[in-house]
């Protein structure tokens, strides 16, 4: 049976346009959360205990140059700064307040641990004097540590808006300036070469903190860091000498 002849295909009818898909609502990126408060508080205590233990071990000659290292205040300043930085990380104004608390706890607790270890584990011959020095350094540590904790919190704060780079640069520059300033103060009074070498290393570390921390940063950050480092390095030698002289009135005989 013959098949029907093929006819030319009729033109296709134009397709109706597909309805546009509704635009998906923009989803905001999840806000990064700060470190939980409980962990921050535990870190404060851990930093304080570590400072006290480190101080005693260095004082007892744990490594070459450790006794000279134990004469420095720089490690304690850095410890309080780290506590404040942890408190201020991804937090706003509340982080600054928490940073003050963290720095104060770190140095005060570290001072009590330092002298407490000497009383209960090392059995120093004059425990009453050691206890008095521990309380004295802890009291000074509340002020000094609180200031360094605030500086550390500034370095990591989420507050400040457009001025945030200025705040962060000021925090880093202040730490570097304090290390350089204490170095200058110690070089004034130390005459033994090993001690002077350690003080000089502390000053170089302070300069490195500012230089390395400013790499790749905005001009606002760099300006604030350099300015605060210069100001703090000029004031810190006098402040360091005053604190040490005040503690000598209660029997401290440190270098």
């Amino acid at each position: 049976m013959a098949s029907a002849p093929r006819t030319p295909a009729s033109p296709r009818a134009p397709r109706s346009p597909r309805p546009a898909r509704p635009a998906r609502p923009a989803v905001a990126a999840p806000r990064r959360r700060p470190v939980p408060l409980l962990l921050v508080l535990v870190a404060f205590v851990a930093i304080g205990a570590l400072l006290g233990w480190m101080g005693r071990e260095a004082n007892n000659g744990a490594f070459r140059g450790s006794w000279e290292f134990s004469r420095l205040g720089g490690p304690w300043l850095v410890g309080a700064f780290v506590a404040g930085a942890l408190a201020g990380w991804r937090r706003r104004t509340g982080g600054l307040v928490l940073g003050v608390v963290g720095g104060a706890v770190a140095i005060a607790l570290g001072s009590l641990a330092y002298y407490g270890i000497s009383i209960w584990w090392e059995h120093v011959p004059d425990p009453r004097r050691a206890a008095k020095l521990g309380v004295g350094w802890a009291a000074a540590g509340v002020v000094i540590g609180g200031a360094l904790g605030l500086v550390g919190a500034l370095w990591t704060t989420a507050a400040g808006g457009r001025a945030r780079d200025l705040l962060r640069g000021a925090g880093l520059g202040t730490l570097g300036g304090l290390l350089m300033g204490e170095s200058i103060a110690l070089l004034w009074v130390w005459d033994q070469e090993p001690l002077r070498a350690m003080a000089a290393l502390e000053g170089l570390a302070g300069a490195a903190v500012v230089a390395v921390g400013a790499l790749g940063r905005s001009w606002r950050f760099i300006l604030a860091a350099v300015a605060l480092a210069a100001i703090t390095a000029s004031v810190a030698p006098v402040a360091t000498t005053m604190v040490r002289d005040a503690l000598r009135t209660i029997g401290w005989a440190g270098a």
Side-chain angles (χ1 to χ4, degrees):
M1 180 177 178
S3 60
R6 295 181 181 181
T7 58
S10 59
R12 294 182 180 180
R15 295 181 180 180
S16 59
R18 294 182 180 179
R21 295 181 180 180
R24 295 181 180 179
V27 179
R31 183 180 176 184
R32 295 180 178 179
R33 296 181 179 180
V35 180
L37 181 60
L38 180 59
L39 291 181
V40 172
L41 297 177
V42 170
F44 293 166
V45 176
I47 291 171
L50 181 62
L51 286 173
W53 173 81
M54 175 205 68
R56 290 310 309 175
E57 286 296 306
N59 184 73
N60 295 334
F63 53 89
R64 182 178 180 182
S66 66
W67 185 85
E68 291 81 4
F69 178 78
S70 72
R71 304 301 96 185
L72 300 177
W76 296 76
L77 302 180
V78 172
F81 180 90
V82 170
L86 182 62
W89 191 51
R90 294 179 181 170
R91 285 185 170 88
R92 297 186 182 275
T93 307
L96 301 181
V97 177
L98 188 60
V100 173
V101 175
V105 169
I107 293 189
L109 182 61
S111 300
L112 294 175
Y114 178 90
Y115 287 100
I117 291 171
S118 71
I119 294 172
W120 282 289
W121 274 272
E122 299 175 5
H123 305 292
V124 293
D126 191 353
R128 294 184 64 180
R129 173 179 173 273
K132 183 170 68 172
L133 290 175
V135 172
W137 270 111
V142 169
V143 179
I144 299 170
L148 263 295
L150 176 60
V151 168
L154 285 175
W155 183 51
T156 57
T157 185
R162 293 183 178 179
R164 188 175 303 158
D165 278 353
L166 290 174
L167 294 177
R168 291 180 172 180
L172 187 73
T174 300
L175 175 64
L178 285 172
L179 295 176
M180 289 185 279
E182 189 192 39
S183 170
I184 294 169
L186 297 179
L187 288 171
W188 280 348
V189 296
W190 285 353
D191 53 7
Q192 299 178 29
E193 285 305 316
L195 287 172
R196 291 180 63 83
M198 190 62 68
L201 287 175
E202 182 182 26
L204 291 174
V209 164
V210 179
V212 175
L215 290 176
R217 299 286 189 163
S218 68
W219 68 267
R220 291 184 180 87
F221 185 103
I222 297 173
L223 179 63
V226 173
L228 265 294
I231 294 171
T232 310
S234 301
V235 175
V238 177
T240 298
T241 303
M242 291 175 62
V243 170
R244 287 174 174 258
D245 288 346
L247 287 163
R248 285 191 177 94
T249 63
I250 62 171
W252 182 65

